[in-house]
């Protein structure tokens, strides 16, 4: 068992202090402008497509250097700026009291502000504007999505209000909370992470004791990984130095789910630094797997072909591995699900496929 060294303040305390100071500083900046008899304004980084750039060095999307300014001197911006201030004050109270609210709850709370939002989409956008302006995340601000993250199973001990071991939480493992940054890692006895797209595969791996056989954490993504799931993967990769391997369905959508974990998404360019895991490896299901393992397949639909062609032009897929697999899938015109290995028996994926893949990854290292 490897104990995680705890130095000084906990992860939760550090994030809380940073976020609270950012929120407080925003308010102080406005007050100081008023005291100097200046018109208050807030500089907000642009999240338009023209300001979203793929950073080759960081290997994920980031925001460029374009900014806009919201000012009380502009009649058209008064309402939007007022909403930002109200949301910031609401979040400051949440952070100070160690509380959270769903983004839906904030939308309804705003009804009492006298400057309410017309739709929840409008309130969501203002929340995103606040996180990009402060350089923090909405989770740190105390704003949560409606859904939790997915599940993790394996020998890792966390402190989440109480001490928890993810291999002793029943067959469904530990549910990754949206407040994952308030969780501390205490110790672990694994040397890798295996993330799988479907919960069906997650439960198959748990049943076959894959966490012991491969000495790994098993993460069930539940399809497109929630922000909390991506943050968990990022943290165990960086803080515990655990290599991450991803196995999804062998189709363009499975490729995309993996790449969002690896290189982030354009939409979340402002928080990819906290979510992307550039060193994570996609191990399958690849087009080569479909051929080499003679897997049951479905024919690519027109929308699949169109999506594969889009991916081939995406800077996240420019390396030889992705280009080869995309071209190969287009050539064979077939796609396959993770569960297609069951053609050879329920245990085959654990007995044969993953051992071969891990050996292949080790030989490439």
């Amino acid at each position: 068992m490897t104990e995680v060294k705890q130095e000084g303040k906990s992860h939760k305390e550090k994030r809380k202090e940073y976020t609270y100071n950012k929120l407080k500083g925003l308010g102080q900046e406005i007050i100081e402008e008023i005291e100097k008899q200046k018109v208050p304004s807030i500089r907000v980084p642009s999240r338009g497509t023209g300001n979203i750039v793929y950073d080759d060095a960081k290997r994920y999307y980031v925001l460029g250097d374009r900014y806009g300014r919201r000012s009380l001197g502009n009649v058209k911006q008064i309402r939007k700026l007022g909403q930002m201030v109200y949301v910031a004050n609401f979040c400051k109270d949440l952070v100070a009291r160690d509380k959270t609210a769903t983004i839906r709850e904030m939308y309804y709370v705003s009804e009492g502000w006298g400057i309410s939002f017309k739709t929840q989409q409008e309130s969501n956008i203002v929340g995103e504007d606040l996180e990009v302006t402060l350089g923090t995340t909405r989770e740190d601000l105390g704003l949560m999505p409606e859904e939790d993250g997915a599940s993790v199973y394996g020998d890792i001990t966390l402190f989440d209000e109480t001490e928890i071991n993810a291999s002793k939480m029943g067959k469904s493992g530990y549910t990754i909370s949206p407040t994952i940054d308030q969780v501390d890692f205490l110790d672990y006895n694994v040397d890798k992470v295996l993330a799988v797209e479907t919960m069906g595969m997650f439960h198959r791996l748990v049943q076959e004791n894959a966490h012991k056989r491969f000495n790994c954490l098993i993460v069930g993504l539940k399809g497109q990984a929630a922000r909390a799931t991506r943050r968990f993967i990022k943290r165990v990769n960086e803080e515990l130095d655990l290599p991450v391997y991803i196995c999804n369905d062998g189709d363009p959508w499975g490729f995309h789910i993996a790449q969002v974990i690896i290189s982030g998404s354009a939409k979340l360019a402002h928080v990819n630094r906290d979510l992307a895991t550039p060193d994570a490896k996609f191990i399958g299901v690849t087009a080569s797997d479909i051929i080499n393992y003679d897997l049951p397949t479905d024919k690519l639909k027109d929308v699949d072909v169109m999506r594969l062609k889009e991916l081939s032009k995406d800077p996240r897929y420019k390396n030889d591995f992705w280009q080869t697999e995309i071209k190969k899938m287009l050539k064979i015109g077939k796609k396959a699900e993770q569960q297609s290995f069951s053609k050879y028996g329920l245990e085959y994926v654990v007995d044969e496929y993953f051992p071969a893949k891990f050996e292949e990854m080790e030989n490439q290292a």
Side-chain angles (χ1 to χ4, degrees):
M1 188 71 74
T2 302
E3 184 176 353
V4 182
K5 292 183 179 179
Q6 302 290 330
E7 297 180 0
K9 296 179 181 178
S10 68
H11 192 82
K12 174 182 177 180
E13 290 169 333
K14 291 176 182 177
R15 303 281 291 203
K16 175 182 176 179
E17 182 178 357
Y18 175 83
T19 305
Y20 185 83
N21 288 337
K22 281 283 189 177
L23 288 162
K24 186 176 179 180
L26 180 65
Q28 288 176 333
E29 184 179 330
I30 293 174
I31 291 171
E32 287 173 4
E33 287 188 333
I34 293 173
E35 289 176 340
K36 294 177 182 177
Q37 296 186 333
K38 293 183 178 180
V39 178
S41 65
I42 297 176
R43 194 175 75 158
V44 182
S46 170
R47 290 189 291 120
T49 54
N51 198 41
I52 296 173
V53 182
Y54 184 79
D55 190 310
D56 287 311
K58 294 178 178 177
R59 292 178 289 162
Y60 54 75
Y61 279 109
V62 298
L63 288 184
D65 55 7
R66 296 183 188 174
Y67 289 84
R69 190 167 284 278
R70 291 183 186 164
S71 170
L72 287 180
N74 186 326
V75 175
K76 294 181 180 179
Q77 296 177 351
I78 291 175
R79 183 168 178 272
K80 186 72 73 176
L81 182 57
Q83 289 173 333
M84 278 191 72
V85 172
Y86 266 103
V87 171
N89 191 57
F90 177 70
C91 291
K92 180 169 169 279
D93 181 63
L94 290 176
V95 174
R97 296 195 294 152
D98 278 329
K99 286 187 175 292
T100 63
T102 67
I103 53 179
R104 186 66 173 169
E105 286 176 320
M106 185 187 75
Y107 170 63
Y108 284 119
V109 168
S110 72
E111 292 291 326
W113 292 346
I115 192 168
S116 60
F117 301 100
K118 295 177 181 177
T119 64
Q120 185 176 340
Q121 178 62 17
E122 186 182 20
S123 70
N124 290 352
I125 290 173
V126 171
E128 291 171 358
D129 285 343
L130 187 61
E131 66 177 353
V132 69
T133 298
L134 298 179
T136 185
T137 68
R138 72 179 182 197
E139 290 82 3
D140 284 332
L141 293 169
L143 299 177
M144 301 292 125
E146 297 296 328
E147 77 281 358
D148 283 339
S151 300
V152 58
Y153 193 92
D155 197 354
I156 184 171
T157 303
L158 318 95
F159 187 83
D160 186 359
E161 302 300 333
T162 187
E163 193 169 304
I164 294 170
N165 187 283
S167 65
K168 299 176 181 177
M169 298 289 292
K171 294 299 183 182
S172 294
Y174 167 74
T175 299
I176 300 171
S177 166
T179 57
I180 189 60
D181 264 313
Q182 297 182 16
V183 173
D184 284 305
F185 301 137
L186 301 181
D187 49 38
Y188 61 101
N189 189 28
V190 295
D191 57 27
K192 66 177 73 71
V193 178
L194 175 58
V196 294
E197 178 180 350
T198 67
M199 294 310 290
M201 180 59 77
F202 172 86
H203 290 300
R204 169 55 48 205
L205 293 174
V206 172
Q207 286 185 46
E208 304 304 329
N209 289 313
H211 64 294
K212 293 182 178 178
R213 297 180 64 170
F214 305 130
N215 197 32
C216 69
L217 294 180
I218 305 167
V219 177
L221 300 174
K222 280 188 179 177
Q224 182 65 271
R227 284 172 54 148
T229 308
R230 283 179 266 165
R231 181 59 184 152
F232 174 83
I233 291 173
K234 169 84 169 180
R235 285 191 61 195
V236 294
N237 174 250
E238 284 196 342
E239 295 173 32
L240 308 184
D241 198 27
L242 296 177
V244 175
Y245 303 101
I246 306 167
C247 181
N248 294 343
D249 285 341
D251 60 29
W253 318 104
F255 290 178
H256 177 68
I257 288 169
Q259 196 59 257
V260 167
I261 292 172
I262 297 168
S263 298
S265 66
K267 181 182 177 184
L268 294 178
H270 58 291
V271 288
N272 279 335
R273 65 183 179 279
D274 289 323
L275 302 179
T277 307
D279 289 329
K281 306 294 183 185
F282 179 72
I283 62 175
V285 176
T286 63
S288 297
D289 290 336
I290 292 174
I291 297 168
N292 296 339
Y293 289 90
D294 190 24
L295 297 176
T297 59
D298 292 311
K299 184 179 179 181
L300 290 178
K301 297 178 181 179
D302 289 343
V303 67
D304 296 321
V305 172
M306 184 182 304
R307 184 60 176 147
L308 283 169
K309 290 180 178 179
E310 289 173 350
L311 298 186
S312 69
K313 299 174 184 177
D314 189 314
R316 293 173 294 181
Y317 299 83
K318 67 182 181 181
N319 68 32
D320 291 342
F321 167 78
W322 284 113
Q323 289 295 316
T324 297
E325 292 302 329
I326 289 170
K327 289 176 183 176
K328 192 172 292 187
M329 185 166 285
L330 285 168
K331 182 177 180 180
I332 64 176
K334 300 290 181 63
K335 59 184 178 180
E337 297 181 356
Q338 287 182 308
Q339 280 83 354
S340 61
F341 288 99
S342 298
K343 164 186 176 180
Y344 301 110
L346 294 175
E347 299 83 8
Y348 184 85
V349 71
V350 174
D351 289 343
E352 301 293 337
Y353 179 70
F354 283 122
K357 282 291 179 174
F358 286 136
E359 182 178 356
E360 180 183 332
M361 291 293 110
E362 289 172 3
N363 290 336
Q364 291 177 0

